[in-house]
């Protein structure tokens, strides 16, 4: 389905990002994964991808740093000869109610989750423009659609990502480049492990369970493939009915 394509995936060493890397690789894509700090996890994910039989490379990069993003994207283009798919998955949380939230914690979440996606798109935009093809997938959240107490920074960053998605989609549509967002609900990852046994929380989800990284990866595969060539500017919830 993605044979011969190159996918650039931020936050690709674990959780949803690693699941997307694996799903894309299983469908023939070569993978450039970006990670923030856990080199061991990144190398383990890279080794698993190489084991599938595709080209894979891991790049340490703080996506909140525009200069680092520019350097890494140049290196990826040199190493892979181009890029066809960008998945902006890197994200952090620093939850607190507004009175207790420190301003640097608000800034750092927005810098990583929203500005990081902008920096990545900015660097690969000319590549997609020139080749008149490409898929951009931004991992937002239902928090960006409905808000969540204690997550003003996270919800604001994910809502901003939706606006970014729609604007980029309009800019690039005439060049045959699609830009869409995925809005997961509660997904069982390292980030949510302290919530995984919260049955009261599950009671608010019509399907009565958390999603899995695999669930999100399957949707990302659809949006990265030619099966979604006439879909752009969309926000697709994958949340077991939580935000309907």
């Amino acid at each position: 389905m993605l044979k011969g394509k190159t996918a650039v995936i931020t936050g690709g060493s674990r959780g949803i990002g690693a699941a997307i890397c694996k799903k894309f690789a299983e469908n023939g894509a070569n993978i450039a994964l970006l990670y923030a700090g856990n080199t061991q996890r990144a190398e383990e994910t890279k080794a698993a991808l190489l084991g599938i039989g595709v080209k894979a490379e891991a790049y340490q990069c703080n996506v909140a740093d525009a200069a680092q993003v520019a350097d890494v994207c140049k290196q990826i283009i040199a190493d892979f000869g181009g890029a066809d798919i960008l998945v902006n998955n890197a994200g952090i949380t620093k939850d607190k109610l507004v009175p207790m939230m420190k301003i640097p914690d608000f800034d750092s979440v927005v810098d990583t989750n929203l500005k990081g996606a902008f920096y990545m798109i900015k660097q690969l935009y000319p590549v997609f423009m020139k080749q008149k093809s490409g898929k951009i997938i931004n991992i937002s959240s239902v928090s960006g659609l409905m808000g969540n107490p204690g997550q003003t920074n996270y919800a604001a960053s994910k809502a901003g990502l939706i606006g970014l998605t729609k604007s980029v989609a309009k800019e690039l549509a005439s060049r045959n480049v699609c830009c869409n967002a995925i809005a997961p609900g509660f997904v069982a990852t390292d980030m949510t492990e302290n919530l995984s046994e919260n049955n009261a929380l599950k009671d608010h989800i019509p399907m009565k369970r958390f999603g899995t990284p695999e669930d999100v990866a399957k949707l990302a595969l659809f949006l990265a493939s030619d099966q979604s060539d006439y879909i752009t500017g969309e926000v697709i919830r994958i949340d077991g009915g939580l935000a309907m």
Side-chain angles (χ1 to χ4, degrees), residues 92 109-111 113-114 140 152-162:
I92 61 171
V109 170
V110 171
D111 286 348
N113 299 3
L114 177 57
S140 182
T152 51
N153 50 2
Y154 185 77
S157 71
K158 294 300 189 177
L161 203 50
I162 290 170

Side-chain angles (χ1 to χ4, degrees), residues 15-16 93 95 139-151 154-155 158 182-217 236-244:
I16 290 172
T93 58
D95 298 351
I139 307 299
S140 182
S141 169
V142 293
S143 292
L145 295 170
M146 55 192 280
N148 201 29
Q151 287 197 316
Y154 185 77
K158 294 300 189 177
I182 294 173
F186 290 105
V187 177
T189 65
D190 293 349
M191 192 181 285
T192 60
E193 63 182 349
N194 62 323
L195 302 174
S196 61
E197 300 305 318
N198 189 330
N199 291 323
L201 193 55
K202 290 178 184 176
D203 285 341
H204 290 289
I205 303 170
M207 294 189 77
K208 305 301 180 190
R209 69 172 179 89
F210 281 16
T212 67
E214 172 81 1
D215 290 328
V216 181
I236 303 178
R237 290 185 300 104
I238 181 162
D239 63 356
L242 177 65
M244 72 172 144

